[in-house]
Amino acid sequence: MKKYLLTLTLLFGLHTVSFSQEGTLGLTANLLLPQGEFKETIDVVGGGISFYGGYQFRGSPLYIGAEIGLANFGTDSRTEPWSTTIPDLTMNVDNNYNLFQGHIVTRFQQPKAAIQPFVEGLVGFNYFFTETSVSSRGGFNANEPIASDTNYEDTSFSYGIGAGVQFKITSFESEGTRGRFYMSLSGRYLRGGEASYLKKGSIEINENRQVIYNPMQSRTDMFLVSLGFIVKL
């Protein structure tokens, strides 16, 4: 429930700032590199995507927006019998170790230039969750989840700074609407509060077929490298 309330707050903020001739929408691909305690415990690079939108005040370098993203830090896979009475039918079982993030972003960048370097500050949250899904091994719906459940979760505060540059690719005009496409490259350092989370190998099944969770706990600092595409209207 906490995740959904935070997400609605961010989307409401996005709604209130995005309706303008200077609106911005973007999609980025991200590499998440754990730092400090987080690196010592998880020791894996995450990958994910983010979506963001906002508003740059007309003639001003000030941009305000909101961003949400989803990343994965690994997957455990195994096969299990469908049931004790049908042991010859086996299913895929996948444990996905995920991170959902939401941030409010304040950025300073030159408006409407072909090359726009920027600096930014962010504040938001990290939501760590492990999702287990079951899928068929074959047939027309092979590898499509039949059932899934979130079996471990925790949330931490997140804030940080970043810098990058946006390069204009082209301009367009359609039915009286003018816009510009940009490519972006950026880096961010995010300080994350302490959280409890699982990683690959943290879920065990003992000889009695009981599930054992072995969570990690640490600060959740990370460095993000992002490559994205942006439309400005």
Side-chain angles (χ1 to χ4, degrees), residues 19 29 37 57 65 79 94 97 104 129 141 187 203 208 222-223:
F19 289 99
E37 295 179 0
F57 293 93
T79 59
D94 298 315
Y97 304 95
I104 299 296
F129 67 103
N141 63 340
I203 299 178
N208 297 320
M222 63 189 76
F223 186 77

Side-chain angles (χ1 to χ4, degrees), residues 105-196:
V105 182
T106 301
R107 181 180 298 162
F108 292 92
Q109 65 186 84
Q110 183 177 353
K112 293 189 175 181
I115 300 177
Q116 300 181 354
F118 62 84
V119 293
E120 61 186 5
L122 306 93
V123 61
F125 67 92
N126 294 322
Y127 171 69
F128 291 90
F129 67 103
T130 300
E131 185 177 55
T132 298
S133 61
V134 178
S135 61
S136 173
R137 297 182 63 197
F140 70 92
N141 63 340
N143 299 316
E144 293 184 5
I146 298 172
S148 64
D149 190 22
T150 298
N151 49 39
Y152 200 92
E153 59 186 348
D154 198 11
T155 305
S156 69
F157 187 66
S158 174
Y159 65 95
I161 58 173
V165 62
Q166 297 176 357
F167 302 92
K168 183 179 177 181
I169 301 173
T170 186
S171 300
F172 68 91
E173 183 173 355
S174 176
E175 299 180 354
T177 300
R178 295 181 178 181
R180 306 174 303 282
F181 284 110
Y182 286 78
M183 177 180 289
S184 70
L185 179 64
S186 65
R188 295 170 169 174
Y189 185 81
L190 296 176
R191 291 277 289 173
E194 191 166 288
S196 180

